[in-house]
Amino acid sequence: MESQQKPKRTKKTSVLKNIGPGFLLAGAAIGVSHLVQSTRAGADYGYILIWALLLACVSKYPFLEFGPRYVAGTGKHLIAGYKQLGKIPYYLFIFITVASMFIIQAAVTIVTAGLAERLFNFGLSPFTWSFIIFGASIALLLIGKYPGLDKSMKIIVSLLTLATLAAVCMALGIQKEPVETVEVPSLWTTASLGFIIAFMGWMPIPLDAAVWHSIWTKEKAHEIREKLSLKGAFLDFNIGYFSACFIGILFFLLGVLVMFGSGESFSSNSIEFSSQLINLYGRTLGEWSKPVIAIAAFVTMLSTVITVTDAYPRVISELFHPENSISAEADNRKKRWQFYRISIFIIPILSLAILYFTSGSFTILVDFAAGLSFLSAPILAWFNYKLVTGQEMPEADRPGKNYRIFTIICFVMLLVFNIAYLGYNFFI
């Protein structure tokens, strides 16, 4: 009897074992785009921009999903796929990564540092907090390695969802003054168009995160020592992606329910905005609500710092020690781990240098990184589509006809977003 039941139990748990990389994707996604952009969309425009949030989530879905799909079908991550497509896709990805990684790492960390001081009130500077946060993240990743990252992100994303949902429920229970007379800003001004484009471009996450997810998925398959199934990869991705989208909607609702019509003038600086956010919640919901909001905001950014601190060293180590023949894979894994341990210190150190020397012009650097990621979205989307529809991909794992049509529609939307972005920046 025991031998007859074992295959059933193994088959049932094999899919569940694949769950993990999706939580890492959610942790990376839920950051400045959610805490700042999504909340400001609801605060400044009310419910009117909910379409932009949903459209952004829908249009990026297939191209991010192609990351784990490609791993399940071929056993390779997307970097290996880009290299197979040719030199142009491969080196374009390297350029996009190197041009933005230090700035993005610095940006998410300095916002987290401001929230840490707001939550703990130790009297430390943002730079000191950034150093502490980097140290804690590096220790977690080097000691716990991938299993530690996997388990910690499941806890963090679950805690974040509960805290944010609790905040929304509290906001729904508060009676506010009617806001029917509040004048919603026009969507056709240059300022509104610029905000909407940036909002959609970063919600829920830039498309280069598909590469991170494919690497995490391949690492998960190596950890559990099982061939990754398409069903398991699909389930894991959906859990992570829809969690990120759901939490984005929650922060949007918080902006509408708590801030819309308040007359508050919000800072364009992420750190100052976060402090304003918590203080306004306290005034609207009561002082007792501040810890809940502060924890939700801090955990939001901490999840991003941890996943980004892990993602970029993994990408760099894969570039320097790419996948090779099966006989050399064990040696390559050892070399990648050694390079990972070096990169996990170098990238934060250079990011700290950016924070130290460019505090005055930091927003310009962030805008550059954001613009580069936004403009690269259709390029990476097309590369991912070519990989999952190519001959190397098993026919059973390729997207079906209807899904391909949906993907092409999403690709056209990304192109339209880019044309609008270029038009706004260079012609308006």
Side-chain angles (χ1 to χ4, degrees):
M1 290 294 292
E2 184 177 353
S3 60
Q4 292 176 346
Q5 292 176 353
K6 186 174 180 180
K8 183 178 181 180
R9 184 171 64 251
T10 303
K11 182 178 180 180
K12 182 178 180 180
T13 57
S14 61
V15 173
L16 297 178
K17 282 184 179 180
N18 291 325
I19 295 177
F23 281 92
L24 305 187
L25 179 70
I30 304 164
V32 175
S33 61
H34 289 59
L35 179 65
V36 179
Q37 295 292 78
S38 190
T39 308
R40 292 189 73 168
D44 293 346
Y45 296 91
Y47 289 107
I48 195 171
L49 283 187
I50 188 66
W51 64 268
L53 190 157
L54 296 176
L55 189 59
C57 292
V58 170
S59 63
K60 292 180 181 177
Y61 176 87
F63 307 110
L64 287 162
E65 184 268 326
F66 288 160
R69 179 188 289 266
Y70 186 71
V71 178
T74 67
K76 301 178 181 179
H77 50 61
L78 288 179
I79 296 178
Y82 294 161
K83 193 170 186 178
Q84 183 176 312
L85 286 177
K87 291 183 178 180
I88 292 179
Y90 183 65
Y91 287 111
L92 263 177
F93 170 74
I94 293 176
F95 171 76
I96 292 167
T97 299
V98 174
S100 61
M101 66 179 179
F102 301 109
I103 301 169
I104 291 177
Q105 178 84 75
V108 298
T109 305
I110 197 65
V111 175
T112 311
L115 288 167
E117 177 58 29
R118 184 65 183 78
L119 178 62
F120 299 108
N121 197 26
F122 287 168
L124 302 177
S125 68
F127 184 83
T128 303
W129 268 115
S130 297
F131 186 84
I132 294 172
I133 291 167
F134 271 137
S137 300
I138 292 170
L140 169 67
L141 294 170
L142 290 181
I143 296 173
K145 299 183 181 179
Y146 180 84
L149 175 66
D150 190 1
K151 293 175 183 177
S152 63
M153 205 50 54
K154 289 176 181 176
I155 296 172
I156 287 175
V157 172
S158 299
L159 175 62
L160 172 60
T161 304
L162 292 175
T164 313
L165 185 59
V168 172
C169 291
M170 288 189 294
L172 287 170
I174 298 296
Q175 292 294 326
K176 290 182 60 181
E177 294 294 326
V179 295
E180 285 82 359
T181 59
V182 176
E183 184 178 351
V184 178
S186 171
L187 301 183
W188 301 107
T189 64
T190 55
S192 293
L193 288 174
F195 175 78
I196 293 170
I197 291 168
F199 174 48
M200 296 181 69
W202 282 86
M203 180 59 64
I205 192 171
L207 277 187
D208 42 344
V211 175
W212 309 351
H213 193 195
S214 70
I215 294 175
W216 287 324
T217 302
K218 190 173 186 299
E219 187 65 26
K220 182 70 175 182
H222 180 269
E223 179 201 345
I224 63 177
R225 300 183 183 278
E226 287 186 11
K227 186 182 183 301
L228 184 67
S229 68
L230 182 61
K231 181 179 179 181
F234 190 68
L235 174 64
D236 171 70
F237 171 78
N238 282 336
I239 290 175
Y241 190 77
F242 287 118
S243 294
C245 295
F246 177 65
I247 294 175
I249 293 173
L250 291 180
F251 276 111
F252 179 87
L253 291 175
L254 284 176
V256 175
L257 296 170
V258 177
M259 297 181 178
F260 182 62
S262 67
E264 183 84 3
S265 178
F266 300 111
S267 171
S268 59
N269 180 277
S270 297
I271 302 173
E272 294 177 9
F273 175 85
S274 300
S275 183
Q276 288 178 313
L277 172 74
I278 296 170
N279 288 333
L280 186 57
Y281 282 131
R283 293 199 302 269
T284 306
L285 305 177
E287 289 295 316
W288 56 272
S289 67
K290 283 188 176 182
V292 176
I293 301 300
I295 291 172
F298 176 68
V299 172
T300 296
M301 292 308 307
L302 182 62
S303 68
T304 305
V305 172
I306 294 173
T307 49
V308 169
T309 303
D310 176 78
Y312 283 124
R314 287 189 185 275
V315 170
I316 297 301
S317 64
E318 293 291 344
L319 291 174
F320 276 85
H321 297 287
E323 293 179 332
N324 212 324
S325 62
I326 297 177
S327 60
E329 179 59 21
D331 183 53
N332 273 355
R333 285 190 62 85
K334 183 178 180 180
K335 290 180 179 179
R336 285 197 292 269
W337 173 244
Q338 291 173 345
F339 208 87
Y340 173 89
R341 288 187 298 179
I342 298 173
S343 302
I344 205 173
F345 286 101
I346 292 177
I347 295 174
I349 288 172
L350 293 178
S351 299
L352 284 171
I354 291 175
L355 293 176
Y356 184 80
F357 290 109
T358 63
S359 57
S361 59
F362 185 65
T363 54
I364 298 176
L365 297 175
V366 174
D367 288 343
F368 171 77
L372 184 62
S373 294
F374 187 84
L375 291 173
S376 67
I379 299 173
L380 296 178
W382 183 250
F383 291 164
N384 293 355
Y385 178 76
K386 290 289 288 182
L387 287 176
V388 298
T389 57
Q391 293 298 318
E392 184 187 25
M393 192 76 171
E395 188 172 352
D397 294 333
R398 298 174 195 170
K401 180 180 178 181
N402 292 335
Y403 195 29
R404 291 192 188 196
I405 294 174
F406 168 68
T407 301
I408 295 299
I409 294 173
C410 292
F411 179 74
V412 171
M413 286 194 287
L414 290 179
L415 283 178
V416 171
F417 298 159
N418 266 254
I419 293 172
Y421 177 84
L422 292 172
Y424 168 76
N425 280 277
F426 297 103
F427 301 105
I428 296 180

